Amino acid sequence: MQIARLSAACGRWSAALIIWPLVVGLTACETGSPALTANHPLHLEEHLDAARIEGSEVPENPPEAVEWLLEDGPGDWKVAVPPNPVMGPLDIERVEDGVSLVLNETSSRPLPNGRRQYAGGIYVDLPEWTREDWAFVAIRARTADSLQFVEVALNFRDKEDAEGRWSPFRYFSEYVDVIEDGAIHTYIMRADWSWGEWEGPWKQLGIWIGGNSPGRLDLLSVSVIPKAANYADSRAGVATEVRGEAYRRVLYTHAPGRIDFPVRVPDSGRLNVGLGVLRDDIPITFSVGVVDGAEAETVLEKTVTNKEEWDHQSADLSPWAGRSITLTLEAEADEPGTVALWAAPTVSGVRATDKPNVIFYIIDAGGADYMSVYGYNRPTTPNMERLAEEGAVFENAYSNSTWSKTSTPSFATSLQHSVLGGYKTDSDPIPEQAVTMAERLHRAGYQTAVFSSNAYAGTMTSMDRGADALRDAGAEPNSTSTLELHDDFWSWREAFPGEPYFVHFQTTDVHWPWKPAAPFAGSFVDPELRERFYEWERQLAQASGRPRPRWLSHRAYPDSAYEKTGIDRVALYNAGRGLYDETMAHQDYQLGQLVKRLEVTGEWEHTLLIIAADHGNTHGLGVFDSIPQHLPLFSSYSTRIPLIIVWPERIAGGQRFSQPVSMIDMLPTILDLAGLPPAEVAMGQSLAPLLLGQEGWEPRPVVFDEFYVDWDTGELEGTIEVIDGRWGASLSIESKDDDDAADEDGDEDDEERPRLLLFDLWNDPYCLNSLHEERPDLVEKYTKYLEEMWEAHRALAQRFSRTGEVPLTPEQLRTLRSLGYIQ
């Protein structure tokens, strides 16, 4: 029987649970610790060393995680046989590191539309578990085939219920969209939820896969993780937990238990906290008390049973303003050891700092070339134009790479993406040694939040680190994401009203697929053309052999698809540009509404607002007759982005800077303007001297890099590039093995793309014509410069090491599919 029982505190699951604990063990500490002050918001979970704990004992025999390793074969796992004779079981084959689940014609059934559905699964018998004890099922798997999903199945159907059914299982839990890149990913799905009303014990665990064509999934391991597993090695600690779409940084204890913090209460002091439970069959009573000398008073008491949501509460501490008290957090439950979750317990009062609130507002795929604030010929950004009059505009700001997964880590850490390890899979985390914006500002006393509708700007890219609150789920439709994200922000502000705060928005209003909303729908594209555009996309996808339309980049579909369908490429891209512009107008309007509400609440006058983007959008290139095969990163449509910085009465309005700047300058700039210590390692430079009219800023070339890990060699391949005044240069970096293979095989592909491409950005901003043949002197100069820069990047990368992989949740994968990142 290939089954391994894992330690309840097993570190490898610290990532796979959607519970990333930063566990700090506690023992009862001595009294007399100095009172914690709250001139900034006081994050109680950050001060466990000053706390005293009573009770909160870990259960003696907590449940353990269970893992099936399949490298030696299926073991106790068996093929699930469908009860319907129309559909046969899948096949199971051995592979080197696991088993392969194979869908073929036998494991399929006809559909009314004439197509076939392919599905099947395997299962293992369980010793009649209580399902409420278990949190997640995690599977490690890979595929390069067009599978649609992997799903968790539970318990067989009763025989009398099986007639006419094509699945042998009674219940199905969550499913995930499979990433078809041939890499190993960890997929994580809930174990305590299923369609239909659950009855009885948990007897079978199944893994069910499906698609519209034959295919295979290599299954390496299956694990089931109990709810209490990540809380079993400490009486109290810090973790990240999720409810619905809301991630929260939590202090956890065990009931019955109490934790005391010495606190000096600020003027108008309050404790704001979200209360949470792991299971709904064991109620927990949370209470907050104040001990002032010999006097004790309960200021909050709430019994919580709903495991699906955070119960946000606020306790009034203002009667003790200016006094040093003991603040007690206590949890009671009938079952000893029950885990109690205190989400972001924060003491705050009236604003008592000159530190600005920071709103870092990223318009995902927001190209400056499509914004009227940058001279675009349609009125897409009137609100940004008004904001520009209040602050500073950078005319030539650039993202460091061309898509969210590679650009977001760079601007969050001020480190080029190759230094962070490059791209291998969607599961790549930021190395732990690289400190994010949210982490730095959280350490400085800021309340911190990330609100994104792109999963690449969430937990998949380590944006949860340092965030009190995070949301990275997609919006429906994504073209109105601002409505949901702004609501999330104001709900968070209501629940945690302290200042200063840092919030990172990453909206997808202008990200494909474009579904403009009223009143902007129809501004630039009439309804008939809009519907015709969507039909064109469907026809081109079908002609390209794709299951659905893909992100409309400049090379979305091959020439053969246009020839087969007869669709005019220029008409398609012109219609797409109009829809993009309508979503940009919606984005701009909602940004203006956010600022208006900040003005009403009185927060605007001490808020630093930075409007930027993670990359541009290359659909504009689709109207050109000839698009080069090798487009550099710095092509204007690809990476020229907005950068507007407003800080009322601190940054002079109406400023416009023509000097090229980079998104990796953002972290140093924020720290500098907020009066915080600079990052220990940063590849960008602060723009504060420019913004404040001070000395200390020197122009320098803007460097780009975008690299991918070769799975066979582990080396990085990609391009490192530079904008240096008039000139842009792009140097190709290939692995040694590729170079050798080219020499041995005489591969002519290398001749098609010269090692260095050179562009005159003054006359060719979209980089349609390389001048590498005309200017050998500049080719030599920039080849040497970029080779030296690449060696520097490789040397700096030695300081950072990436470990593990980030697990992928169903919601994240659905978000990536809706945005066109995965097919």
Side-chain angles (χ1 to χ4, degrees):
M1 181 177 184
Q2 285 123 334
I3 180 170
R5 288 207 171 266
L6 307 180
S7 163
C10 183
R12 69 177 294 180
W13 290 114
S14 62
L17 289 180
I18 322 181
I19 305 169
W20 292 270
L22 309 170
V23 175
V24 181
L26 271 183
T27 56
C29 64
E30 298 296 325
T31 59
S33 297
L36 304 169
T37 59
N39 293 329
H40 293 85
L42 174 64
H43 305 280
L44 293 180
E45 78 279 3
E46 296 291 336
H47 298 280
L48 294 177
D49 55 346
R52 179 176 62 193
I53 186 171
E54 295 181 1
S56 193
E57 300 293 342
V58 178
E60 291 185 6
N61 298 302
E64 298 177 338
V66 177
E67 182 179 44
W68 290 268
L69 301 174
L70 301 174
E71 58 188 4
D72 294 326
D76 292 327
W77 288 82
K78 309 175 188 69
V79 173
V81 179
N84 189 337
V86 173
M87 187 174 185
L90 55 65
D91 291 333
I92 186 167
E93 300 175 0
R94 289 283 300 277
V95 292
E96 182 179 359
D97 48 358
V99 298
S100 189
L101 310 184
V102 183
L103 298 177
N104 51 38
E105 292 300 324
T106 301
S107 51
S108 68
R109 66 188 183 107
L111 297 175
N113 60 10
R115 297 183 179 180
R116 299 191 71 83
Q117 180 181 42
Y118 296 78
I122 60 174
Y123 74 95
V124 67
D125 289 313
L126 304 177
E128 298 202 353
W129 288 344
T130 299
R131 195 179 59 152
E132 273 295 324
D133 291 337
W134 303 92
F136 300 104
V137 175
I139 71 169
R140 295 184 71 244
R142 67 168 171 258
T143 186
D145 294 333
S146 297
L147 297 177
Q148 287 184 301
F149 64 85
V150 175
E151 193 167 13
V152 170
L154 309 97
N155 287 9
F156 283 146
R157 295 184 182 278
D158 296 331
K159 290 183 179 179
E160 58 270 20
D161 187 37
E163 185 177 352
R165 303 281 185 165
W166 56 272
S167 165
F169 295 102
R170 182 172 183 183
Y171 303 103
F172 283 91
S173 184
E174 293 184 307
Y175 70 91
V176 295
D177 296 318
V178 180
I179 296 180
E180 302 157 0
D181 61 3
I184 297 172
H185 296 282
T186 297
Y187 301 102
I188 186 162
M189 292 154 277
R190 288 179 55 179
D192 66 343
W193 179 89
S194 63
W195 297 100
E197 186 174 349
W198 178 268
E199 295 180 1
W202 187 4
K203 297 180 180 181
Q204 287 91 25
L205 166 64
I207 304 300
W208 192 257
I209 67 174
N212 292 324
S213 61
R216 63 173 58 218
L217 178 83
D218 294 342
L219 189 62
L220 311 185
S221 69
V222 180
S223 304
V224 189
I225 304 99
K227 293 183 177 179
N230 272 54
Y231 307 100
D233 65 342
S234 183
R235 298 168 68 194
V238 181
T240 297
E241 266 273 5
V242 61
R243 295 291 178 272
E245 298 173 350
Y247 290 79
R248 294 289 185 268
R249 183 177 172 86
V250 301
L251 165 64
Y252 67 83
T253 60
H254 300 269
R258 169 176 149 173
I259 185 167
D260 297 345
F261 294 91
V263 173
R264 184 172 180 82
V265 179
D267 289 344
S268 302
R270 304 194 69 80
L271 170 72
N272 297 97
V273 64
L275 307 177
V277 297
L278 294 182
R279 49 194 302 170
D280 53 17
D281 58 337
I282 305 176
I284 298 180
T285 298
F286 296 83
S287 61
V288 176
V290 172
V291 178
D292 184 10
E295 301 293 325
E297 182 176 336
T298 299
V299 294
L300 171 66
E301 184 172 280
K302 184 69 182 294
T303 298
V304 179
T305 59
N306 187 353
K307 67 183 181 184
E308 305 296 336
E309 297 179 359
W310 296 110
D311 190 330
H312 288 108
Q313 296 290 326
S314 181
D316 184 10
L317 305 179
S318 60
W320 296 274
R323 299 184 62 82
S324 294
I325 63 166
T326 298
L327 187 64
T328 69
L329 308 183
E330 189 167 4
E332 297 282 347
D334 291 340
E335 184 171 317
T338 301
V339 176
L341 303 174
W342 307 81
T346 306
V347 177
S348 62
V350 295
R351 170 176 264 273
T353 177
D354 61 355
K355 304 291 185 192
N357 302 322
V358 179
I359 297 180
F360 187 52
Y361 202 102
I362 302 299
I363 302 171
D364 202 298
D369 289 343
Y370 307 101
M371 296 180 171
S372 54
V373 67
Y374 284 93
Y376 185 53
N377 61 1
R378 283 174 173 167
T380 54
T381 56
N383 287 284
M384 288 188 225
E385 291 171 43
R386 287 190 286 271
L387 287 169
E389 294 174 359
E390 296 186 49
V393 176
F394 288 83
E395 299 280 5
N396 295 292
Y398 293 89
S399 61
N400 297 96
S401 62
T402 61
W403 65 300
S404 306
K405 179 63 179 177
T406 57
S407 66
T408 302
S410 288
F411 67 63
T413 61
S414 191
L415 297 170
Q416 295 285 358
H417 194 242
S418 65
V419 174
L420 297 171
Y423 174 90
K424 186 175 183 180
T425 74
D426 285 338
S427 305
D428 299 333
I430 292 178
E432 291 187 7
Q433 304 93 328
V435 184
T436 67
M437 286 182 180
E439 286 180 292
R440 293 187 183 279
L441 290 165
H442 192 277
R443 293 172 185 176
Y446 275 69
Q447 294 190 142
T448 53
V450 177
F451 299 113
S452 169
S453 46
N454 184 342
Y456 285 146
T459 60
M460 290 177 66
T461 313
S462 304
M463 294 297 102
D464 57 300
R465 286 174 16 193
D468 294 322
L470 177 141
R471 170 251 169 88
D472 67 359
E476 184 57 43
N478 63 277
S479 296
T480 56
S481 69
T482 46
L483 298 176
E484 294 185 27
L485 299 185
H486 292 181
D487 282 347
D488 289 344
F489 168 72
W490 289 114
S491 295
W492 176 66
R493 291 295 300 135
E494 183 178 357
F496 295 91
E499 297 183 54
Y501 59 79
F502 165 81
V503 59
H504 166 190
F505 283 105
Q506 193 138 337
T507 67
T508 53
D509 284 26
V510 305
H511 195 295
W512 182 93
W514 305 304
K515 304 289 184 182
F520 304 99
S523 299
F524 308 119
V525 178
D526 64 55
E528 286 188 8
L529 179 56
R530 179 172 64 245
E531 292 307 313
R532 193 155 60 247
F533 171 83
Y534 298 145
E535 179 58 29
W536 286 341
E537 285 192 308
R538 288 189 288 270
Q539 292 176 15
L540 288 166
Q542 185 176 4
S544 304
R546 296 184 175 276
R548 56 187 61 82
R550 64 178 304 182
W551 186 4
L552 194 68
S553 67
H554 61 296
R555 290 191 176 276
Y557 304 104
D559 291 341
S560 59
Y562 293 101
E563 294 170 1
K564 189 181 298 185
T565 60
I567 293 170
D568 182 89
R569 180 169 55 83
V570 173
L572 173 80
Y573 279 92
N574 271 329
R577 180 173 68 95
L579 296 174
Y580 179 93
D581 292 346
E582 291 175 356
T583 62
M584 182 69 78
H586 181 271
Q587 164 67 80
D588 176 78
Y589 173 78
Q590 296 301 335
L591 178 57
Q593 293 301 108
L594 177 70
V595 171
K596 286 182 179 179
R597 189 163 174 182
L598 289 168
E599 292 171 339
V600 170
T601 62
E603 296 177 23
W604 176 244
E605 63 188 26
H606 40 254
T607 293
L608 169 65
L609 171 65
I610 299 175
I611 303 168
D614 59 341
H615 56 84
N617 203 311
T618 60
H619 66 271
L621 290 171
V623 301
F624 288 97
D625 292 331
S626 177
I627 305 170
Q629 179 69 30
H630 303 288
L631 193 70
L633 307 179
F634 51 71
S635 172
S636 184
Y637 278 137
S638 298
T639 51
R640 181 173 173 250
I641 58 165
L643 181 56
I644 302 170
I645 302 179
V646 185
W647 189 4
E649 299 185 5
R650 300 295 293 271
I651 293 175
Q655 300 184 84
R656 283 190 175 254
F657 300 102
S658 61
Q659 300 93 328
V661 296
S662 168
M663 276 296 281
I664 61 169
D665 296 333
M666 290 301 93
L667 175 60
T669 300
I670 289 171
L671 296 178
D672 197 353
L673 290 174
L676 299 175
E680 301 80 9
V681 180
M683 301 178 76
Q685 64 172 331
S686 172
L687 304 180
L690 267 179
L691 294 164
L692 301 177
Q694 301 171 351
E695 296 182 353
W697 185 87
E698 294 292 335
R700 63 187 189 185
V702 172
V703 175
F704 306 73
D705 82 355
E706 188 167 296
F707 283 86
Y708 299 82
V709 179
D710 184 303
W711 291 349
D712 295 326
T713 67
E715 296 182 19
L716 295 181
E717 298 180 324
T719 59
I720 183 168
E721 305 186 357
V722 64
I723 288 179
D724 184 24
R726 176 177 182 175
W727 304 106
S730 171
L731 182 70
S732 174
I733 303 292
E734 297 179 347
S735 71
K736 293 179 181 177
D737 280 8
D738 282 350
D739 289 340
D740 293 342
D743 292 339
E744 294 173 4
D745 302 335
D747 191 345
E748 296 182 357
D749 287 344
D750 290 325
E751 298 178 7
E752 296 179 9
R753 199 254 194 230
R755 185 150 187 257
L756 186 128
L757 298 175
L758 179 73
F759 297 92
D760 179 353
L761 299 181
W762 290 2
N763 297 304
D764 182 18
Y766 304 122
C767 304
L768 301 178
N769 299 288
S770 174
L771 303 178
H772 56 279
E773 293 182 352
E774 292 90 335
R775 295 299 304 267
D777 56 327
L778 293 178
V779 168
E780 180 180 1
K781 172 185 175 179
Y782 287 115
T783 297
K784 180 180 179 181
Y785 174 85
L786 288 171
E787 285 178 340
E788 292 175 350
M789 188 65 65
W790 174 237
E791 290 302 317
H793 286 199
R794 293 179 67 185
L796 184 56
Q798 301 306 308
R799 298 188 56 163
F800 305 95
S801 59
R802 185 182 283 156
T803 58
E805 56 181 312
V806 178
L808 306 176
T809 69
E811 190 59 47
Q812 290 167 339
L813 290 162
R814 282 192 284 273
T815 297
L816 295 184
R817 173 162 284 176
S818 71
L819 296 175
Y821 285 115
I822 62 176
Q823 286 288 304

